Structure formats: C-alpha cells, structure tokens
Amino acid sequence: MLNALYIHIPFCRSKCPYCAFVSLPGQSQLHGPYQQAVAKELAILRDRFSPTLDSLFIGGGTPTALPAAMLGSLVERCRQLFSVSDKAEITVEANPGTIDLEYVRVLIDHGINRLSLGFQSLQDNELAALGRQHSGAQAVAAFRAAREAGMANINIDLMTGIPGQTQGSWERTLTAALTLQPDHCSIYELTIEENTPFGDKKNWREGDLPGEEELMAIDKLTLDLSSRSGLGRYELANYASTGKQCRHNLVYWHNEGYLAVGAAAVSCINGVRERRIADPARYISRMERGVDVVVERETLAREASFRETVVIGLRLLAGVSRRRLQDRYCIDPIEYYGTTLAHLVSLDLLTVSGEMIRLTDTGRIYANRIMAELV
Ligand code: SF4
C-alpha cells in the first residue's frame, strides 16, 4: 500500500563542502518553474496511482530556500490530487537562517505539521568548518521561532565527526539542543563523500577529524544524554519522544513502497525503483515538453529485496519480524542465513526473541560490519 510521498527541492542558499546531495546554490530564477514542473509531475502520478497519503515529506536541498507560499501550494496541490489522511505527517526540511516566525506560520497555515531543522552543530567554529551559512545562535532562534509559531513537531539534525569536534564540544551542542526539547533528533556521523570538496581535499591531517576513540566517547555521551532527555532511541541514528517517530523514514526502514517527485527523486513502487533526472533545469525542461523524467529503472529481485529489507530493518531497535519477512518473501531468515546468523547470535551481536531479530547493544556498535555480512 502506497501512503508516503517525497518531494525533492534541489536548491540551497550555498553549497556545503561535504554535501553529496543533489542541490544547487542560488538559482532563484528556477524556483517558480521548478514548482510548476513538480506540480505537473504530481498530476501524472495521480493518473498512475491513487494513494491515501499518510506521510508527505518535502526534503532537499533546502526546501525553505523557496518562499513558504510556494511550499504551501505544493501541499495544496497534493490535497487536490490525492486523498491525504486527516492525521498525515507533513514534513518540511529547513535550515536555520532561512525561516522566521512568519515563514513558519505560513507553513502551518498550509497544513505542514512537522519541521526538520538542520542544526548540525551549535558551535560556530564547527559550523564554519562545515561551510554552513548559519551560526549556533541562529539555529536556536529558528527553533524558538518555529515553536512560537505553533509548530508542534520539530526534529533537530545533528552531526558527529565534524572537523574540530571534541567530546566537550559535542556535550555542549547536544545539551543545548536537548534543552530546547525537540520531539525528534537525528544524529549522523559526517561521511567524507567522493566528488565533494571534502572528498577531494588531499591535505587532511591526523587530528583534523575526531578519531575512533573520540567518536566512541561521543556515541556514549549521546546515549546517556538522550535517554535523560526523554527521547527514546528507535533507530541507530534517531531518537524520538513517544509517538513522534518519523513516519516517512519508517517507510524507508521497513523497505516499503513510496512515491517521489522532483529532480533526482527516487521512488520505489511494487519493487521497481525509479530515479529522476538530477539536473533541475533539465527536469523542468523535460516536464515542460512532456518527456519522461525517469532516467533509471531498477527492478529488485526477490532475494535481493529480502536481504535489503533485513539489513535496513536491523537499523530499527525493534528489529525485523521473521513472520513479516516470511509473509512478504516466503523466505525464513533463520534458515536463509543459517550458520552466519547463528554465529552472530553466539557472538552476542544479534538476538532472536519471539518473532523478532534485532541487534544487541554490542551489535549496534558493529552494525555496519554485521550488515555487510548479511547483505
Ligand atoms: S544545506 Fe544541506 S543540502 Fe544544502 S548544501 Fe548544505 S548539506 Fe547539502
């Protein structure tokens, strides 16, 4: 059943040197035509599917690089074309420095009920190292403005592994972020991606980035502080208060189908993954000329999809359900993985309890290696 839709907004105010997402700095002349093109693609989607949306996620890029009314009109368009459930979670990703009280009020007026704020850090030296265009004070001000406007569900994105980050600076960032009482917190480690200025940089020196020991101490601090703040860890990198787990990401972690529109957006429908053309100008031009914007289609074989569902699902602390896997793929994971799984259980990295298979506390530390064995 399809009930999640992702809309990609590929624009930012500037390009961060670590970013591998499809996003262009500036290009405000494309914003209007892009909105029109997305609205057109939404109508095409309606002709192919008739979903009841339970989750609508406008991500980027920086969606809030666009005027609030433009984002609002995309939500309105979805309401005209699809059935949107009364309790749908409608998220917009935002960066500090691009929103204020009035901006968020407009979003709320259009039914947007969740904001995901990209803080990354609250230390100005770390934000500068990441090439972010906002300060820590601006991030706090953006959060407060959103709350004052009436936004009841706010996520904060934070990052570990930042150049110059220490246990102490992380403790200051996390403590200050949690003091704001966000409903959800995502904490990812910086990855140095190829074909980015960070990836191309040849002169990283020892100590530029936090080392393994420092990162382990940072992870431990995260667990201690988040549990004291009332946010429960429900996914390897995600924490939420009760009932505020991100609905859209849960669809990804359960490896279920989802719709997507926009440049570079990837949908997954009935086991077929479709990737749209990445360049926003070419995306607009194709939509205007009525040319297909999908440039890549991949049909997932049953076994590959099964393994993917296991590996992604193990990111959830609840784990993966053996029964659901059997119902969906007619494959029993215990038989399928045989001695590999038994070995991981004997090392106390995985546990099988009732119908659920999940990572243990130790397993979560070595999650990447375990997933590499199972994929
Ligand atoms: S704001 Fe986000 S999407 Fe935009 S360049 Fe920076 S990391 Fe990438």
Side-chain angles (χ1 to χ4, degrees):
M1 173 128 134
L2 289 167
N3 55 19
L5 168 65
Y6 175 77
I7 299 179
H8 190 69
I9 307 293
F11 304 108
C12 286
R13 285 207 169 157
S14 63
K15 189 76 183 170
C16 305
Y18 61 92
C19 177
F21 293 121
V22 173
S23 71
L24 297 178
Q27 304 286 327
S28 55
Q29 79 287 359
L30 292 182
H31 294 179
Y34 186 78
Q35 179 217 5
Q36 298 294 320
V38 167
K40 243 185 186 177
E41 198 188 357
L42 286 170
I44 293 172
L45 216 60
R46 193 265 321 267
D47 294 340
R48 289 176 68 195
F49 310 99
S50 43
T52 297
L53 295 181
D54 189 39
S55 165
L56 170 56
F57 195 103
I58 305 181
T62 306
T64 50
L66 268 54
M70 248 187 216
L71 300 178
S73 79
L74 287 176
V75 174
E76 298 301 332
R77 189 78 184 127
C78 289
R79 286 190 197 285
Q80 288 161 8
L81 293 166
F82 312 118
S83 157
V84 179
S85 101
D86 290 347
K87 294 197 175 131
E89 186 174 277
I90 305 180
T91 304
V92 163
E93 287 185 331
N95 274 331
T98 61
I99 60 164
D100 58 17
L101 182 80
E102 195 42 45
Y103 191 103
V104 181
R105 278 193 181 137
V106 175
L107 296 184
I108 292 173
D109 285 347
H110 286 91
I112 290 151
N113 54 23
R114 185 171 184 270
L115 198 69
S116 179
L117 272 171
F119 275 28
Q120 314 316 342
S121 169
L122 287 173
Q123 312 308 310
D124 288 346
N125 64 317
E126 293 173 12
L127 290 167
L130 289 174
R132 305 283 297 181
Q133 297 299 304
H134 59 87
S135 64
Q138 277 178 304
V140 171
F143 186 98
R144 294 208 168 113
R147 273 286 195 248
E148 198 185 329
M151 187 58 76
N153 191 353
I154 307 180
N155 167 62
I156 290 178
D157 279 346
L158 293 173
M159 193 179 270
T160 61
I162 301 171
Q165 191 176 49
T166 63
Q167 281 181 61
S169 71
W170 173 244
E171 187 167 8
R172 287 194 295 282
T173 287
L174 187 58
T175 304
L178 294 175
T179 304
L180 295 168
Q181 298 186 302
D183 306 278
H184 190 285
C185 198
S186 296
I187 302 172
Y188 286 97
E189 187 182 325
L190 171 71
T191 42
I192 306 290
E193 305 275 1
E194 282 179 16
N195 303 320
T196 63
F198 270 22
D200 294 341
K201 189 173 161 178
K202 301 279 178 271
N203 53 347
W204 288 109
R205 284 166 312 178
E206 175 104 20
D208 280 351
L209 298 166
E212 204 160 316
E213 270 185 31
E214 190 94 358
L215 284 171
M216 285 187 71
I218 281 173
D219 285 348
K220 189 172 175 317
L221 260 173
T222 306
L223 290 178
D224 293 348
L225 286 170
S226 59
S227 62
R228 274 190 269 140
S229 74
L231 293 185
R233 190 186 195 190
Y234 70 102
E235 195 266 355
L236 290 177
N238 285 274
Y239 304 76
S241 58
T242 310
K244 296 284 178 69
Q245 290 88 351
C246 176
R247 243 183 260 177
H248 199 80
N249 285 348
L250 280 171
V251 170
Y252 293 149
W253 292 319
H254 286 132
N255 210 12
E256 288 165 354
Y258 48 89
L259 302 162
V261 294
V266 178
S267 56
C268 187
I269 302 158
N270 301 329
V272 181
R273 216 162 263 161
E274 294 185 338
R275 180 181 299 279
R276 283 143 192 82
I277 192 161
D279 179 66
R282 293 172 71 192
Y283 171 84
I284 294 167
S285 155
R286 284 193 181 207
M287 285 311 305
E288 284 172 352
R289 290 179 290 126
V291 177
D292 193 359
V293 288
V294 173
V295 289
E296 201 182 302
R297 280 191 177 83
E298 181 197 8
T299 304
L300 302 176
R302 182 178 68 107
E303 229 176 285
S305 174
F306 161 80
R307 289 196 302 269
E308 202 180 74
T309 305
V310 170
V311 167
I312 299 172
L314 283 175
R315 294 192 59 89
L316 291 164
L317 265 67
V320 287
S321 157
R322 184 180 178 187
R323 182 181 48 77
R324 282 178 68 173
L325 287 165
Q326 282 174 311
D327 289 350
R328 184 166 165 189
Y329 296 103
C330 301
I331 301 175
D332 178 356
I334 308 272
E335 281 173 24
Y336 183 84
Y337 286 113
T339 50
T340 307
L341 193 125
H343 185 58
L344 292 169
V345 170
S346 74
L347 294 173
D348 189 32
L349 298 172
L350 276 185
T351 172
V352 181
S353 132
E355 64 160 295
M356 300 307 290
I357 304 169
R358 60 174 74 91
L359 294 171
T360 60
D361 289 348
T362 315
R364 276 179 224 126
I365 297 169
Y366 302 103
N368 288 344
R369 285 186 224 168
I370 296 167
M371 288 166 186
E373 280 204 46
L374 299 177
V375 80

